[in-house]
Amino acid sequence: MIRSVGPAGPVNVVGLVGWQLKYNLLAVVVVAAVLLQLPDTVDPDDYDAILATAGVVASIFVGFRNMNAYQRWWEARTLWGAVINDCRAMHNGLSAVDTGSAEMAPVLDRMRRRQVRHAWQLVAELRGVAPQPGVTDLTADSPDATATELLNLQAQDVQRLAAGGHIDPPARVMLMTVNNDLVSSQGGLERIRNQPIPAHYDMFIRGLAWLFALVAFNLLHVATHYVGSILVGLLFMMVFVSAERLGYFLERPMSNSVFDLPMYRFCSTITANLLGSGQPLAKPRQGNKDTVWW
């Protein structure tokens, strides 16, 4: 897995994105090569009308799709911001109810550690990968505990604190409000991860993008084999097809790809906030100047 792009950020980002688009770009080159061998049976005067019509339709749908893709990406980023804030709120709430008693100390420590574990576990579930080394060692809970189960265990510890007389009803409400906010944020992230744009709509927009790109390629007089026109047409196809595919990747911000949100970075921040910067999981895997990480 790629960790970061280091100081040569822009160049490496282009390389990473190009690698993600490699099959689409290869398809563009193959299709262009085939078109160069075929006789042009369409009247050149008709291309202007075809291009104008296809361009308007394709631009509307591709633009709409990419706008929604960005909204999904931004919503996921906002929800992760809420997770970070709620983890800090939980830490503050636990500090507020701490009486310094020997009975409370292990429970509060366990809840802080479990909160950190929940963040890392949530990332693993969203990306469909195993938790990072050391995550399951944070608590004595089952190694197979899911993010939902960890939040439920948090609620059970709040109940134990209340039943033991360590916290009063308002404190219990305060802690459970934060816990329920985390449940809501987790549900929103799971919705974004598990409910992408329908496949048939995706294929429709992709087909429109290809249709417009092919018409534009032919409009640039490829049949006359002008090298400059061929190169410009090929570049146009690559740009338009890539723009549509970038929307596809962007609407999946938690799919364990180069387009992901920096969720490990978020979890490192949460770990440092709750357990201190000395905790191994709190150490960022990349430098602060790195452009891409996950």
Side-chain angles (χ1 to χ4, degrees):
M1 176 183 291
I2 299 170
R3 299 294 186 183
S4 64
V5 299
V11 175
N12 286 326
V13 167
V14 171
L16 292 172
V17 173
W19 182 255
Q20 293 291 320
L21 296 172
K22 58 184 180 296
Y23 295 119
N24 295 278
L25 298 179
L26 178 61
V28 167
V29 174
V30 171
V31 170
V34 172
L35 289 176
L36 288 174
Q37 308 304 319
L38 298 177
D40 194 354
T41 59
V42 179
D43 188 336
D45 294 335
D46 294 336
Y47 274 126
D48 290 335
I50 297 174
L51 184 65
T53 303
V56 170
V57 174
S59 298
I60 290 175
F61 280 97
V62 172
F64 176 77
R65 187 261 184 77
N66 285 10
M67 179 183 67
N68 279 274
Y70 179 77
Q71 288 175 345
R72 284 169 58 88
W73 183 92
W74 186 252
E75 182 185 2
R77 177 61 185 86
T78 302
L79 288 170
W80 267 108
V83 170
I84 294 173
N85 290 338
D86 289 336
C87 288
R88 290 169 176 166
M90 177 63 76
H91 179 51
N92 290 347
L94 295 176
S95 297
V97 302
D98 188 1
T99 63
S101 67
E103 295 82 4
M104 288 189 70
V107 179
L108 300 184
D109 179 67
R110 179 170 66 239
M111 291 184 68
R112 288 189 175 93
R113 290 178 173 277
R114 187 184 290 126
Q115 200 63 67
V116 170
R117 179 177 169 182
H118 167 264
W120 288 97
Q121 179 63 35
L122 180 58
V123 170
E125 293 177 9
L126 292 173
R127 286 182 167 161
V129 299
Q132 291 293 294
V135 170
T136 56
D137 297 332
L138 287 169
T139 68
D141 304 317
S142 170
D144 299 324
T146 65
T148 300
E149 291 170 344
L150 290 172
L151 288 181
N152 186 259
L153 289 171
Q154 291 287 74
Q156 292 177 29
D157 268 346
V158 173
Q159 190 277 334
R160 291 189 184 95
L161 290 173
H166 299 293
I167 60 174
D168 56 17
R172 181 178 185 176
V173 171
M174 174 189 65
L175 294 176
M176 283 309 303
T177 297
V178 176
N179 189 274
N180 289 333
D181 288 343
L182 284 162
V183 170
S184 297
S185 295
Q186 176 181 321
L189 291 168
E190 290 171 342
R191 169 179 51 80
I192 295 173
R193 174 64 176 86
N194 299 327
Q195 297 179 10
I197 291 178
H200 52 276
Y201 185 68
D202 173 68
M203 293 183 65
F204 170 70
I205 296 178
R206 190 175 189 182
L208 278 178
W210 270 96
L211 175 63
F212 178 61
L214 291 175
V215 172
F217 184 73
N218 275 332
L219 181 63
L220 292 171
H221 309 293
V222 295
T224 59
H225 292 269
Y226 292 137
V227 175
S229 297
I230 293 173
L231 293 178
V232 171
L234 184 62
L235 179 62
F236 188 92
M237 288 182 68
M238 288 182 173
V239 169
F240 202 80
V241 171
S242 297
E244 185 276 328
R245 284 291 87 187
L246 286 175
Y248 170 83
F249 291 125
L250 190 62
E251 71 190 20
R252 291 162 170 78
M254 295 171 287
S255 57
N256 200 32
S257 73
V258 68
F259 298 94
D260 267 18
L261 290 166
M263 293 187 286
Y264 286 167
R265 193 96 175 172
F266 300 156
C267 290
S268 295
T269 299
I270 292 171
T271 305
N273 291 160
L274 273 67
L275 302 182
S277 58
Q279 221 286 337
L281 290 170
K283 299 177 181 178
R285 287 161 170 73
Q286 307 81 26
N288 292 327
K289 295 183 178 181
D290 284 353
T291 306
V292 174
W293 56 80
W294 66 100

